[in-house]
Amino acid sequence: MISLLILPRCCTINVKSKGRILTGKGLSRLHYVHRKISSRFVCVQKLDLNGNGYSGVLGCQKSFQRGISGGGHGGRKQSMTLDDIAKGIREKEYKRIVVIAGAGISTPSGIPDFRSPGSGLYDNLQKYNLPYAEAIFAINYFHHNPKPFFALAKELYPGNYRPCLTHYFIRLLHDKGQLLRMYTQNIDGLERMAGIPDKKLVEAHGTFATATCTLCRRKYQGEDLHNDIMEGTVPHCSYCKGIIKPDIVFFGEELPQQFFLYLTDFPMADLLIVMGTSLEVEPFASLSGAVRSSVSRLLINRELVGPFAWGSSRQSDVAELGDVVSGVRKLADALGWMPELEALMADDRQKASKKREE
Ligand SMILES: [Zn+2]
């Protein structure tokens, strides 16, 4: 599996490559994690547009983790349960909950695993002769040929999919006044669709809700591009004729400013919920270690990931392993929130079908 790793600028890292050790500035901020070797070492691979690249072993994963966290707590046994977490939420002991989520919360909505080579979506893109699969999200390639990206945009465009129970659960946390912020890696817009407001949402990898002209930087609303994208044409700026790109974060682009809210959010959080993510993408992965050491962390995921797997778990950590929707349902059951959740979902479904009729 290959995933994106974004290295914080401040850290010094070493990559051993063909016997050479590249340090600090010798590295680009963008590498693809090729595979994880151990908790401290990952094999990275860097590719350029011509498909050239190198791979090497990246050590000191921990040192850049410390860049935003503060270190782990040495593999202690769990002493809390899902019911304890539910009690804390129900009794409003937790009032500043931070949620980190990844692709795993959207697969039940039918969102294809579009970042993985070999998935159906990439196969569909073969006619565009991409030099390598991830080129679709490479900004240099986009300037060269934007068509494959817009073909993907058409598939993923908000409206084709509906939020699932997990998205509505987070919306309900907000309705109850207990959500400090949700940090999502997803670009499907399902969080917004579930009614989580803008100010509560950090879409770390960007959004289709807004767009920017690549030439004059003029701002557009996502719906301004709707007709072009649905018709399969590349949208052009009405002022300068430049290509308008949805505000999705490409490889080689900075994360949105909003992401840096984590600097104030995480020290304030009183509960962290991590769901549906492999926690392999930096700097997302390090966020899970950025809450205070006394704060409980709940993982709802298929497997142990990040600090839950690295042996740096804390006594107050809880892992609910298995299908994400089932895990969320279990938590909602323990909270007694299922009737409310179902009503919320039914209401939204009704609104959506009314909108379609109009
Ligand atoms: Zn323009």
Side-chain angles (χ1 to χ4, degrees):
M1 195 186 75
I2 296 178
S3 55
L4 173 67
L5 171 76
I6 300 169
L7 304 168
R9 276 188 187 151
C10 54
C11 77
T12 313
I13 54 158
N14 300 308
V15 171
K16 258 190 214 160
S17 171
K18 292 177 189 155
R20 254 179 349 129
I21 295 183
L22 310 171
T23 308
K25 285 189 182 144
L27 296 167
S28 149
R29 290 177 68 238
L30 295 176
H31 285 77
Y32 303 100
V33 172
H34 187 49
R35 70 194 153 87
K36 203 158 136 191
I37 296 169
S38 70
S39 61
R40 292 180 62 88
F41 295 94
V42 288
C43 182
V44 298
Q45 201 169 39
K46 185 172 181 291
L47 297 162
D48 62 25
L49 279 183
N50 303 318
N52 301 318
Y54 67 82
S55 55
V57 175
L58 171 76
C60 65
Q61 189 163 16
K62 295 268 158 142
S63 75
F64 64 79
Q65 189 195 353
R66 270 199 296 278
I68 38 180
S69 67
H73 273 248
R76 278 187 236 149
K77 253 182 111 182
Q78 276 186 14
S79 61
M80 279 182 70
T81 64
L82 192 70
D83 283 336
D84 296 327
I85 300 275
K87 185 167 176 276
I89 297 175
R90 199 174 45 241
E91 295 178 357
K92 305 236 166 181
E93 188 190 315
Y94 304 131
K95 291 194 278 285
R96 296 183 302 274
I97 302 173
V98 170
V99 177
I100 302 181
I105 70 163
S106 290
T107 33
S109 293
I111 301 281
D113 181 11
F114 59 92
R115 281 197 196 261
S116 297
S119 70
L121 207 51
Y122 270 120
D123 295 343
N124 291 343
L125 296 172
Q126 265 183 4
K127 59 178 177 209
Y128 294 104
N129 273 329
L130 290 166
Y132 55 97
E134 290 86 351
I136 197 167
F137 289 115
I139 192 65
N140 291 336
Y141 188 79
F142 179 84
H143 291 311
H144 165 71
N145 179 15
K147 282 189 180 144
F149 170 76
F150 282 108
L152 175 77
K154 185 180 176 183
E155 169 69 25
L156 285 182
Y157 217 69
N160 289 352
Y161 300 93
R162 299 289 313 156
C164 72
L165 183 92
T166 309
H167 300 98
Y168 285 106
F169 177 81
I170 303 159
R171 151 84 188 274
L172 199 53
L173 275 180
H174 163 67
D175 288 352
K176 306 260 181 195
Q178 288 167 275
L179 180 70
L180 177 60
R181 205 97 55 195
M182 175 183 192
Y183 289 72
T184 181
Q185 295 170 286
N186 301 336
I187 57 170
D188 49 46
L190 294 181
E191 298 88 0
R192 286 168 185 260
M193 222 184 283
I196 301 165
D198 241 1
K199 64 179 195 301
K200 291 283 170 181
L201 199 55
V202 172
E203 291 161 310
H205 293 167
T207 173
F208 283 105
T210 54
T212 308
C213 170
T214 51
L215 219 55
C216 73
R217 311 306 295 166
R218 194 174 288 268
K219 286 278 172 202
Y220 286 86
Q221 287 304 307
E223 58 250 37
D224 300 337
L225 279 60
H226 182 265
N227 289 348
D228 275 334
I229 288 180
M230 288 308 149
E231 283 161 19
T233 41
V234 174
H236 284 273
C237 177
S238 45
Y239 298 91
C240 77
K241 303 294 170 211
I243 294 171
I244 309 171
K245 177 182 145 306
D247 292 337
I248 300 297
V249 181
F250 277 37
F251 297 133
E253 289 189 308
E254 297 285 329
L255 294 187
Q257 273 305 308
Q258 245 194 334
F259 179 77
F260 297 93
L261 282 170
Y262 83 81
L263 290 168
T264 47
D265 282 353
F266 280 72
M268 270 204 319
D270 49 22
L271 175 67
L272 176 68
I273 303 178
V274 179
M275 38 173 61
T277 167
S278 60
L279 280 185
E280 273 180 357
V281 182
E282 287 294 349
F284 238 81
S286 300
L287 285 181
S288 57
V291 289
R292 284 167 294 139
S293 58
S294 57
V295 167
S296 290
R297 302 182 296 188
L298 168 63
L299 174 73
I300 303 177
N301 205 35
R302 284 212 171 274
E303 68 247 316
L304 290 175
V305 290
F308 299 89
W310 295 341
S312 53
S313 62
R314 303 167 179 177
Q315 219 164 5
S316 54
D317 284 348
V318 177
E320 179 62 35
L321 299 184
D323 171 64
V324 175
V325 170
S326 309
V328 172
R329 191 181 293 271
K330 204 168 153 188
L331 177 59
D333 268 332
L335 280 162
W337 287 7
M338 270 319 286
E340 248 175 302
L341 254 180
E342 269 159 6
L344 190 62
M345 289 173 76
D347 194 42
D348 261 25
R349 261 199 305 273
Q350 211 168 27
K351 274 186 203 152
S353 69
K354 218 180 215 167
K355 211 172 164 189
R356 266 199 302 275
E357 280 163 24
E358 279 169 17

